[in-house]
């Protein structure tokens, strides 16, 4: 049976990247070692580190005025690292559009004068607040947003027009073209759209990292990682290596603009099908729908459970929704082929027929 994994994270990786890692797993390029066994200071690993960084820069069109860093601790550690590094005046505004956005906000509160400038909690995070209505304070260090809300299935289609924008792009990084120059800092845990868990990507303006708070731990200072080219201590080497293979795959496919086209087609098909069905619903505001995470429900919890079980028996894995939303969630990240979405829709049709 052909399997498709709709997991929200860790999630599917491109077959090509996995096969390449498999082929080289025991003996990487004649080194006599596996990547998971070699020193992070040896020439083979340095090449991997350099190529991974170069590919991120190429794929996202990142200029020399930004650092590209590979750090540890997941996006959740960035919830703290961001205020610890960027609060200079001590003030920042957050837009709270979901569970992770709220976690980021809650961490930041510990370190300064932090305000929630807008939230979509009133409708269980099913939309993105109208940015024209949001009033940010004067004289703040940054505005923090969550670009794609993994649990609730919403995304920003445009970004706040502010000077120092910080974005958690964990679940949409490299899924559509963005202008990095509009951001002061972008961070993303690898395990949604880039590679295995372990590595966290940070893209930060070079002139933004010079004033960390005195209490900022050495490991969380961007300057520490920037000076050491992400090799200050032992990095998650295998995760960075797999990410590099994924970046190679994406480049070969035509880059971010090419995958964006595919992602838009995949998401449109699935939303169209849901909107036209009598069994399934997605309650996200249409203009704010995520390209990556598609939550949906049937009329009853019992039918939802039956759907998840039967889908899994048909090779469509990990479709159970997040406990905060219930129902189902199809995560259709970059590595999910269009055939995977077609297979899901075909199964949904059949299930609808059988359960009218
Ligand atoms: C998954 C996720 C996180 C948490 O990431 P970790 O790497 O597990 O800390 C944070 N933000 C968003 C948007 C996510 O999707």
């Amino acid at each position: 049976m052909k399997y498709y994994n709709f997991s929200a994270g860790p999630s599917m990786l491109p077959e090509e990247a996995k096969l390449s890692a498999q082929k080289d797993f025991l003996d990487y390029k004649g080194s006599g070692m596996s990547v998971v066994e070699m020193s992070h200071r040896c020439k083979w690993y340095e090449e991997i580190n350099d190529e991974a960084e170069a590919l991120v820069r190429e794929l996202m069109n990142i200029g020399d005025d930004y650092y590209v860093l590979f750090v540890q601790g997941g996006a959740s550690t960035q919830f703290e690292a961001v205020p610890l590094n960027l609060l200079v005046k001590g003030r920042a505004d957050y837009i709270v559009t979901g569970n992770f956005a709220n976690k980021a906000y809650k961490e930041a509160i510990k370190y300064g004068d932090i305000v929630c400038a807008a939230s979509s909690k009133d409708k269980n995070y099913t939309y993105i607040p109208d940015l024209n209505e949001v009033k940010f304070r004067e004289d703040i260090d940054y505005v923090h947003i969550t670009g794609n809300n993994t649990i609730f299935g919403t995304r920003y289609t445009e970004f706040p027009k502010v000077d120092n924008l910080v974005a958690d792009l964990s679940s949409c990084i490299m899924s559509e073209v963005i202008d990095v120059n509009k951001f002061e800092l972008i961070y993303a845990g690898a395990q949604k759209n880039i590679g295995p868990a372990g590595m966290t990507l940070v893209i930060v303006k070079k002139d933004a990292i010079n004033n960390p708070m005195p209490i900022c731990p050495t490991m969380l200072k961007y300057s520490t990682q920037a000076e050491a080219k992400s090799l200050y201590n032992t990095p998650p080497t295998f995760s960075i290596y797999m990410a590099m293979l994924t970046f190679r795959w994406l480049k070969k496919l035509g880059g971010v603009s090419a995958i964006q086209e595919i992602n838009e087609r995949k998401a449109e098909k699935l939303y169209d099908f849901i909107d036209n069905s009598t069994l399934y619903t997605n309650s996200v505001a249409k203009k704010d729908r995520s390209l990556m995470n598609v939550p949906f429900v049937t009329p009853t919890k019992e039918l939802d459970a039956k759907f998840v079980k039967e889908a899994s028996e048909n090779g469509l894995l990990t479709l159970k929704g997040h406990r905060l939303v219930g129902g189902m969630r199809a995560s259709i990240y970059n590595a999910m082929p269009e055939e995977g979405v077609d297979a899901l829709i075909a199964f949904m049709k059949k299930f609808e027929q059988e359960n009218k």
Side-chain angles (χ1 to χ4, degrees):
M1 191 186 340
K2 186 114 180 112
Y3 290 98
Y4 295 104
N5 177 13
F6 294 88
S7 173
S11 36
M12 232 178 134
L13 290 173
E15 187 161 287
E16 198 176 306
K18 288 188 288 187
L19 285 171
S20 184
Q22 182 187 46
K23 181 176 141 285
D24 289 338
F25 192 74
L26 295 182
D27 179 4
Y28 184 71
K29 291 192 172 176
S31 65
M33 293 174 276
S34 172
V35 172
V36 295
E37 300 169 316
M38 60 177 56
S39 164
H40 56 296
R41 312 261 176 226
C42 75
K43 75 170 169 106
W44 293 283
Y45 187 72
E46 274 186 10
E47 275 172 25
I48 291 169
N49 193 57
D50 288 348
E51 185 177 342
E53 179 184 337
L55 283 168
V56 173
R57 288 186 178 278
E58 186 179 343
L59 286 165
M60 294 182 70
N61 196 18
I62 301 170
D64 284 340
D65 47 339
Y66 285 83
Y67 288 115
V68 171
L69 308 173
F70 304 130
V71 301
Q72 302 201 48
S76 301
T77 302
Q78 293 306 307
F79 297 166
E80 306 177 86
V82 165
L84 282 164
N85 281 276
L86 300 188
L87 285 178
V88 178
K89 297 169 196 151
R91 289 149 55 90
D93 289 2
Y94 278 64
I95 301 186
V96 176
T97 49
N99 193 46
F100 291 120
N102 194 40
K103 282 184 168 174
Y105 168 62
K106 290 255 174 70
E107 284 302 321
I109 284 175
K110 298 175 190 166
Y111 304 109
D113 168 13
I114 308 298
V115 160
C116 169
S119 162
S120 51
K121 189 163 192 256
D122 59 338
K123 291 186 185 158
N124 198 28
Y125 301 120
T126 50
Y127 68 102
I128 299 292
D130 181 353
L131 296 174
N132 296 315
E133 311 260 294
V134 184
K135 293 256 180 306
F136 298 108
R137 292 179 297 171
E138 297 282 312
D139 223 25
I140 52 175
D141 289 309
Y142 62 89
V143 167
H144 181 282
I145 62 163
T146 309
N148 181 78
N149 296 280
T150 323
I151 295 174
F152 298 93
T154 63
R155 91 185 205 277
Y156 286 78
T157 49
E158 54 178 336
F159 298 112
K161 289 181 184 60
V162 293
D163 285 340
N164 302 318
L165 187 60
V166 173
D168 174 359
L169 300 187
S170 292
S171 51
C172 59
I173 188 100
M174 297 185 188
S175 66
E176 50 184 334
V177 176
I178 58 160
D179 180 0
V180 171
N181 296 310
K182 293 201 172 118
F183 299 84
E184 169 146 299
L185 188 149
I186 291 168
Y187 62 90
Q191 70 275 19
K192 313 279 164 64
N193 227 356
I194 288 181
M199 178 266 260
T200 310
L201 174 64
V202 173
I203 301 162
V204 59
K205 241 188 193 149
K206 284 188 176 169
D207 62 14
I209 66 162
N210 299 320
N211 295 297
M213 288 186 175
I215 59 160
C216 183
T218 305
M219 273 294 287
L220 296 195
K221 279 185 196 167
Y222 298 127
S223 52
T224 305
Q225 303 293 349
E227 280 159 24
K229 293 193 76 183
S230 302
L231 291 166
Y232 172 73
N233 72 329
T234 319
T237 49
F238 189 68
S239 179
I240 294 168
Y241 164 65
M242 284 295 300
M244 182 209 63
L245 295 175
T246 305
F247 300 150
R248 273 189 193 163
W249 164 81
L250 184 52
K251 181 180 168 180
K252 208 167 117 190
L253 200 117
V256 177
S257 59
I259 201 80
Q260 175 174 347
E261 222 174 275
I262 299 170
N263 286 336
E264 283 169 351
R265 213 163 51 224
K266 277 158 33 185
E268 195 178 306
K269 270 187 197 178
L270 187 49
Y271 286 120
D272 269 359
F273 173 75
I274 292 171
D275 290 343
N276 290 315
S277 90
T278 50
L279 189 68
Y280 310 101
T281 41
N282 164 289
S283 49
V284 171
K286 281 192 179 156
K287 66 178 180 45
D288 301 326
R289 282 172 162 179
S290 169
L291 294 179
M292 299 280 100
N293 310 98
V294 182
F296 57 95
V297 292
T298 70
T300 69
K301 285 203 167 69
E302 292 69 36
L303 208 50
D304 288 346
K306 188 174 180 216
F307 180 98
V308 171
K309 180 169 174 283
E310 288 182 14
S312 165
E313 287 161 5
N314 282 275
L316 307 168
L317 310 176
T318 340
L319 280 160
K320 192 170 188 301
H322 191 277
R323 67 197 140 74
L324 293 174
V325 179
M328 280 70 69
R329 171 176 49 173
S331 293
I332 49 174
Y333 298 117
N334 285 359
M336 173 61 67
E338 198 164 345
E339 305 86 73
V341 175
D342 292 340
L344 173 62
I345 293 171
F347 173 78
M348 287 170 82
K349 259 185 205 154
K350 184 167 151 281
F351 189 84
E352 183 169 6
Q353 290 297 327
E354 292 166 358
N355 293 279
K356 268 193 187 148

